[in-house]
């Protein structure tokens, strides 16, 4: 696959997350896709991503993801991003705080010959996010 095809797939993934049109992930994520850094309780494949991002969008309905740096090869993308949002719904069993968050992360995505996500490695500052919400000690 070309770098542009993979960038388009990753862009479509991000758009699905930001807009909440998570069923689009069925077209972008391979059924046997592996997330090497899954969220707690996250299942495999597109359904796992849909459940995890569905919960995140419930907690942060105005969720935004801004890609700050992107590098691509023919089958992989690496990018750094910033997530912002306002805590308006339950998160980890805790009620909404109404507080705004801004935290960073990085991800590497690998795509197959059809431009579908087959592997993901990533890390974001969830502890920093929880601290901003007052849900973790500083």
């Amino acid at each position: 696959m070309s770098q542009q095809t993979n960038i388009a797939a990753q862009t479509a993934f991000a758009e699905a997350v930001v807009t909440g049109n998570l069923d689009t992930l069925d077209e972008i994520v391979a059924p046997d896709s592996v997330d090497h850094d899954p969220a707690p309780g996250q299942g495999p494949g597109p359904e796992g991503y849909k459940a995890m991002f569905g919960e995140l969008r419930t907690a942060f309905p105005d969720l935004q993801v801004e890609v700050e740096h992107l590098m691509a090869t023919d089958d992989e993308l690496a990018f750094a991003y910033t997530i912002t949002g306002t805590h308006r719904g339950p998160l980890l069993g805790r009620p909404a705080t109404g507080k705004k968050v801004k935290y960073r992360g990085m991800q590497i995505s690998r795509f197959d010959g059809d431009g579908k996500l087959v592997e993901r490695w990533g890390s974001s500052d969830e502890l920093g996010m929880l601290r901003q919400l007052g849900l973790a000690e500083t």
Side-chain angles (χ1 to χ4, degrees):
M1 290 279 47
S2 74
Q3 293 176 11
Q4 292 307 317
T5 300
N6 296 334
I7 291 170
Q10 188 65 55
T11 300
F13 188 107
E15 186 174 307
V17 170
V18 170
T19 64
N21 187 12
L22 299 176
D23 287 336
T24 303
L25 297 178
D26 291 327
E27 302 165 19
I28 303 165
V29 178
D32 57 350
S33 177
V34 176
D35 189 338
H36 294 284
D37 300 297
Q42 180 182 335
E47 293 303 319
Y49 287 110
K50 290 187 325 188
M52 186 261 294
F53 284 115
E55 289 178 25
L56 193 60
R57 286 201 41 78
T58 296
F60 301 97
D62 61 345
L63 180 80
Q64 292 295 310
V65 180
E66 180 183 342
V67 174
E68 297 174 2
H69 187 75
L70 174 73
M71 295 182 65
T73 68
D74 286 342
D75 64 347
E76 292 181 325
L77 294 176
F79 58 98
Y81 57 87
T82 298
I83 294 176
T84 57
T86 309
H87 186 208
R88 303 225 181 266
L91 178 68
L92 303 173
R94 307 289 281 282
T97 64
K99 295 180 179 179
K100 293 183 183 282
V101 297
K102 181 176 182 178
Y103 61 103
R104 301 200 60 212
M106 297 183 76
Q107 180 172 313
I108 300 170
S109 301
R110 188 172 71 79
F111 297 87
D112 67 11
D114 295 325
K116 289 199 174 197
L117 179 70
V118 293
E119 283 186 283
R120 176 203 168 272
W121 298 262
S123 180
S124 59
D125 185 13
E126 286 97 359
L127 181 56
M129 179 259 299
L130 292 171
R131 286 179 173 157
Q132 291 174 53
L133 295 175
L135 302 178
E137 293 184 25
T138 56

